[in-house]
């Protein structure tokens, strides 16, 4: 993406940046960063942060770094790193220079911890986790000083060196800042900045057995990279005084500033990485890229496009007010994008055989239909027509209901781009199920309305002999409740939608859909928007439903 692709809208962060630029702060530079933890796949909430950080840098001719906050090796993996890199690039963004890691700065962070110890601003504490909670106090009562708080600098340096060399067991001690145990902000009550972890690190191997906390590493990494505007979500607002305290008490090369915005909460889903991992680990979904997941890779496999996600993030805006965004807004963004850009095609998902009794056996015609009715530049597509056709089971009723606009016994309907047909006979099996329709076609109705009678409507179809076998996966919202985490007495798993995936294995599509590339989007006429799935083979194409043509959930809610 170029500066021309940057968001045109503004927000309170952009207003701050514009004031900084007017005052020539930071030498007129804008440097942001996107700092994910590599402990899971990115989700739609991260997409908002990606678009904000990278989009802001683009808008003001600056740079944005991709930096992995890799301070918790036990929960991190190369798989997650690779997926995050892939997702950021897929969304259309590129970072400045090489990918960066907090682990790149482990030595400098260690040296700064030593600096704080020498300054009497950090100490090694032997309180265990439970004792530390007890000493910390509460929101209404101040904490108490640790009995180890007044150790000498020399003693603290020696203990910290032992921690670094792996001579002490996990949990026996930690390094804490010496700030104020009576502070009304609990984050300033002597926070832990180093813990012992005898864990292999995916970047540094076994070089370290002590790891810095997020609060200690984050601001200093920002400073080392020359970040001017450190943009994060509102849950870090209470951490900002600690961010600033560390910047003020360390010899950092530059002074970044932290700004907070409201995170993205989307109804009918969850964005807790811990709970998303639970869905994967317990096989409630197939993987992180399951099209029902709110992960970027899941949305991609579902058929969402980078442009639609960027548009959605622009639509919801950037504020400091927490709230929940309706899933319908995300679905509206992808409908708008695909309505303009997805070629049309016909696919029959639940086939019902139609035999045209007055159409010559073995005869075949090819009709040219527009690839997109509103965009001639997409050209035309060729569809095969013959004696044996397939239509949707739901497009036929033996006795037509009132205002029926499809096929019925003794009635006529138009086949999209072809002829008008009339149902002459209904064939049923021994169980009374309809298995075939005997119909006649009117050869005078090719591209023309019939004379003397009126067709009920227009339905889609495919040639039974030329059509492409395919599997259609009808994906829907993963949860039945708008807020699956609202009831604290129940697990969010209890609200999983049993209809979130319906697989139709006998679908048939028009010939041109054979061997289409993965992630090719289509509007299946009258059915919705679909995308080619990676599971497609030479024998059978697989299509995922991205979204229906209209918001069916709004109808459910209104009727409820």
């Amino acid at each position: 993406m170029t500066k021309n692709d940057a968001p045109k809208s503004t927000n309170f962060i952009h207003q701050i940046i514009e004031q900084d630029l007017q005052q020539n702060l930071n030498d007129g530079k804008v440097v942001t960063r996107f700092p994910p933890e590599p402990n899971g796949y990115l989700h739609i909430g991260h997409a908002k942060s990606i678009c904000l950080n990278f989009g802001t840098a683009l808008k003001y001719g600056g740079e944005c770094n991709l930096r992995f906050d890799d301070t918790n090796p036990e929960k991190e993996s190369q798989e997650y790193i690779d997926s995050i890199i892939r997702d950021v690039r897929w969304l259309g963004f590129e970072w400045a220079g090489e990918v960066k890691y907090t682990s790149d700065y482990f030595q400098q962070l260690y040296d700064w911890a030593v600096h704080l110890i020498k300054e009497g601003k950090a100490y090694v504490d032997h309180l265990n986790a439970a004792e530390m909670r007890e000493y910390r106090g509460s929101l209404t009562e101040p904490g108490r000083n640790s009995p180890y708080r007044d150790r000498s600098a020399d003693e603290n340096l020696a203990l910290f060196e032992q921690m670094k060399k792996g001579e002490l067991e996990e949990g026996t001690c930690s390094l804490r800042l010496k700030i104020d145990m009576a502070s009304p902000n609990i984050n300033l009550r002597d926070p832990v900045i180093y813990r012992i972890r005898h864990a292999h690190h995916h970047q540094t191997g076994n070089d370290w057995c002590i790891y810095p906390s997020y609060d200690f590493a984050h601001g200093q990494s920002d400073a080392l990279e020359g970040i001017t505007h450190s943009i994060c979500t509102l849950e870090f607002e209470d951490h900002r005084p600690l961010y600033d305290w560390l910047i003020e008490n360390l010899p950092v090369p530059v002074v970044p500033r932290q700004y907070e915005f409201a995170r993205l909460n989307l109804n009918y889903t969850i964005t807790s990485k811990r709970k998303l991992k639970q869905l994967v680990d317990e096989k409630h979904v197939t993987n992180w890229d399951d099209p029902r997941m709110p992960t970027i890779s899941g949305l991609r496999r579902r058929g969402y496009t980078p442009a639609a996600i960027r548009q959605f993030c622009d639509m919801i805006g950037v504020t400091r007010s927490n709230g929940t965004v309706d899933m319908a807004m995300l679905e509206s963004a992808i409908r708008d994008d695909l309505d303009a850009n997805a070629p049309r095609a016909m696919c029959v998902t639940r086939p019902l055989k139609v035999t045209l009794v007055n159409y010559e056996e073995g005869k075949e015609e090819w009709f040219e239909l527009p690839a997109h009715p509103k965009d001639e530049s997409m050209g035309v597509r060729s569809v095969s027509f013959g004696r044996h056709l397939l239509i949707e089971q739901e497009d036929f009723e033996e006795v037509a209901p009132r205002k029926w606009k499809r096929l019925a016994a003794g009635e006529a309907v138009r086949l999209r781009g072809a002829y008008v047909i009339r149902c002459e006979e209904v064939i049923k099996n021994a169980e009374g199920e309809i298995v075939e329709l005997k119909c006649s076609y009117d050869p005078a109705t090719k591209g023309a309305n019939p004379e003397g009678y009126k067709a009920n409507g227009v339905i889609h179809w495919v040639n039974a002999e030329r059509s492409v076998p395919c599997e259609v996966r009808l994906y829907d919202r993963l949860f039945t409740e708008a807020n699956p985490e609202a009831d604290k007495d129940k697990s969010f798993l209890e609200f999983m939608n049993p209809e979130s995936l319906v697989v139709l294995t006998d679908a048939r599509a028009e010939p041109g859909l054979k061997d289409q590339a993965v992630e090719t989007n289509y509007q299946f006429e009258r059915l919705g928007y679909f995308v080619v799935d990676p599971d497609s083979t030479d024998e059978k194409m697989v299509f995922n439903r991205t979204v229906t043509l209209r918001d069916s959930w709004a109808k459910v809610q209104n009727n409820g």
Side-chain angles (χ1 to χ4, degrees):
M1 294 177 68
T2 66
K3 190 173 181 179
N4 292 332
D5 301 309
K8 304 298 185 290
S9 60
T10 191
N11 53 62
F12 77 95
I13 290 176
H14 291 172
Q15 291 168 0
I16 291 170
I17 291 174
E18 286 165 9
Q19 290 173 3
D20 291 347
L21 292 173
Q22 288 174 4
Q23 299 173 33
N24 200 36
L25 295 182
N26 308 305
D27 296 325
K29 294 179 182 177
V30 174
V31 185
T32 61
R33 82 290 170 269
F34 176 59
E37 298 176 69
N39 59 358
Y41 280 53
L42 298 182
H43 53 64
I44 186 64
H46 293 112
K48 178 179 178 180
S49 181
I50 291 169
C51 290
L52 176 57
N53 279 289
F54 283 92
T56 296
L58 273 173
K59 182 173 183 176
Y60 296 104
E63 296 180 344
C64 183
N65 293 346
L66 174 60
R67 179 177 76 235
F68 287 99
D69 172 32
D70 55 343
T71 59
N72 193 0
E74 293 160 311
K75 296 184 177 180
E76 300 164 1
S77 75
Q78 189 63 42
E79 175 193 355
Y80 297 144
I81 291 171
D82 293 342
S83 74
I84 291 168
I85 291 173
R86 186 167 59 244
D87 288 345
V88 173
R89 281 197 167 127
W90 177 75
L91 280 173
F93 299 107
E94 195 61 45
W95 45 90
E98 298 294 322
V99 172
K100 296 172 175 58
Y101 299 84
T102 298
S103 56
D104 295 339
Y105 315 125
F106 277 178
Q107 184 61 53
Q108 179 63 78
L109 292 170
Y110 173 82
D111 292 342
W112 278 340
V114 169
H115 171 85
L116 290 169
I117 293 172
K118 290 179 178 179
E119 293 285 313
K121 296 175 181 178
Y123 63 98
V124 175
D125 192 7
H126 278 80
L127 291 179
N128 62 35
E131 292 168 334
M132 207 173 287
R133 282 193 297 271
E134 180 187 345
Y135 273 75
R136 186 177 293 124
S138 66
L139 293 173
T140 56
E141 293 186 358
R144 292 177 290 142
N145 287 348
S146 165
Y148 307 100
R149 196 174 195 262
D150 295 323
R151 280 173 162 157
S152 68
D154 287 342
E155 187 178 1
N156 284 316
L157 287 170
L159 286 167
F160 193 45
E161 182 68 14
Q162 284 184 273
M163 290 172 60
K164 178 179 180 290
K165 289 181 176 179
E167 296 173 0
L168 300 175
E169 294 298 318
E170 289 189 16
T172 57
C173 59
S174 59
L175 185 68
R176 299 177 68 178
L177 294 178
K178 188 186 292 186
I179 305 180
D180 182 5
M181 289 301 294
S183 173
N185 186 333
I186 291 181
N187 294 295
L188 295 179
R189 295 181 187 175
D190 291 11
V192 171
I193 60 169
Y194 267 95
R195 289 186 174 89
I196 301 170
R197 289 286 185 272
H198 295 291
H200 180 84
H201 192 281
H202 48 86
Q203 299 298 316
T204 61
N206 297 316
D207 291 349
W208 295 90
C209 58
I210 54 171
Y211 292 97
S213 68
Y214 172 87
D215 281 327
F216 182 63
H218 189 73
Q220 284 50 259
S221 299
D222 285 346
L224 288 166
E225 293 177 9
I227 302 302
T228 59
H229 300 82
S230 182
I231 306 168
C232 56
T233 47
L234 275 176
E235 62 261 38
F236 294 101
E237 183 175 22
D238 289 341
H239 295 247
R240 191 189 336 141
L242 177 55
Y243 183 102
D244 293 341
W245 187 94
L246 284 163
I247 292 295
E248 291 165 6
N249 285 274
L250 287 169
V252 294
V254 300
V255 178
R257 296 297 181 196
Q258 176 176 303
Y259 303 95
E260 306 88 17
F261 69 99
R263 64 181 296 169
L264 170 59
N265 297 304
L266 194 64
N267 64 7
Y268 291 101
T269 192
I270 57 174
T271 52
S272 159
K273 277 199 279 189
R274 179 179 60 82
K275 292 179 179 178
L276 293 176
K277 189 173 187 300
Q278 183 180 349
L279 288 173
V280 174
D281 292 345
E282 296 179 3
K283 307 298 184 185
H284 300 290
V285 294
T286 55
N287 212 325
W288 287 93
D289 70 344
D290 188 300
R292 294 167 291 181
M293 291 278 274
T295 55
I296 295 175
S297 58
L299 291 168
R300 178 179 182 176
R301 190 166 181 178
R302 177 85 168 247
Y304 278 76
T305 63
I309 294 176
R310 293 195 303 267
Q311 175 62 22
F312 168 69
C313 292
D314 195 46
M315 288 165 56
I316 61 178
V318 178
T319 69
R320 284 183 52 82
S321 301
N322 279 318
T324 301
V325 177
D326 195 329
M327 174 69 81
M329 286 186 67
L330 178 60
E331 294 172 341
S332 176
I334 188 61
R335 283 193 190 97
D336 288 347
D337 185 41
L338 295 182
D339 178 59
N341 299 301
R344 277 37 173 177
M346 292 190 291
C347 178
V348 174
T349 58
R350 296 177 174 90
L352 174 60
K353 183 179 179 182
V354 171
T355 300
L356 301 181
V357 293
N358 62 333
Y359 195 92
E360 182 180 342
E361 187 74 57
K363 179 183 176 181
E364 182 179 21
E365 293 179 78
W366 287 87
F367 299 143
E368 286 195 343
L369 277 62
H372 194 296
K374 301 174 186 176
D375 189 348
E376 293 183 359
S377 69
M378 289 194 184
V380 297
R381 65 190 206 268
S382 296
V383 295
S384 170
F385 187 88
R387 177 181 172 89
H388 303 286
L389 308 175
L390 299 171
I391 66 169
E392 294 283 354
Q393 293 178 16
E394 66 175 25
D395 281 344
F396 176 78
E397 285 285 349
E398 211 168 353
V399 179
R402 187 170 174 268
K403 296 185 178 180
W404 183 246
K405 294 296 183 182
R406 289 169 273 179
L407 185 61
E411 301 290 336
V413 74
R414 175 174 287 282
L415 300 179
R416 171 73 70 191
Y419 300 102
V420 171
I421 64 171
R422 182 190 300 274
C423 179
E424 309 292 354
E425 183 182 357
V426 179
I427 309 298
K428 299 181 181 180
N429 61 16
E431 288 75 35
E433 300 167 330
I434 298 172
V435 294
E436 184 181 359
L437 304 177
K438 301 283 188 178
C439 298
S440 60
Y441 88 107
D442 186 341
T445 57
K446 181 179 178 181
N449 291 322
E451 293 185 9
Y453 64 96
K454 184 179 180 181
N456 280 342
V458 181
I459 64 173
H460 62 279
W461 55 277
V462 294
N463 186 331
E465 296 171 346
R466 284 276 194 175
S467 56
V468 174
C470 54
E471 178 179 298
V472 170
R473 299 171 182 174
L474 303 178
Y475 288 101
D476 210 332
R477 299 181 185 183
L478 190 54
F479 297 98
T480 56
E481 294 293 321
N483 185 356
E485 300 173 287
D487 191 336
K488 301 305 179 185
D489 295 326
K490 293 183 178 180
S491 166
F492 71 99
L493 297 173
E494 295 183 48
F495 301 107
M496 291 193 69
N497 179 10
E499 300 296 317
S500 64
L501 172 59
V502 175
V503 180
L504 306 176
T505 58
D506 297 322
R508 310 283 292 199
E510 62 182 61
L513 271 63
K514 175 70 173 172
D515 299 328
Q516 290 299 307
V518 171
E519 296 184 18
T520 302
N521 299 97
Y522 289 98
Q523 184 198 97
F524 286 170
E525 297 196 31
R526 304 174 64 239
L527 298 179
Y529 295 99
F530 292 76
V531 67
V532 179
D533 187 82
D535 287 345
S536 297
T537 66
D538 292 339
E539 289 73 34
K540 179 176 281 191
M541 298 294 294
V542 178
F543 294 94
N544 300 330
R545 183 172 67 188
T546 306
V547 68
T548 55
L549 292 176
R550 287 169 292 278
D551 183 4
S552 57
W553 282 77
K555 185 184 295 184
V556 170
Q557 289 178 318
N558 292 335
N559 292 341

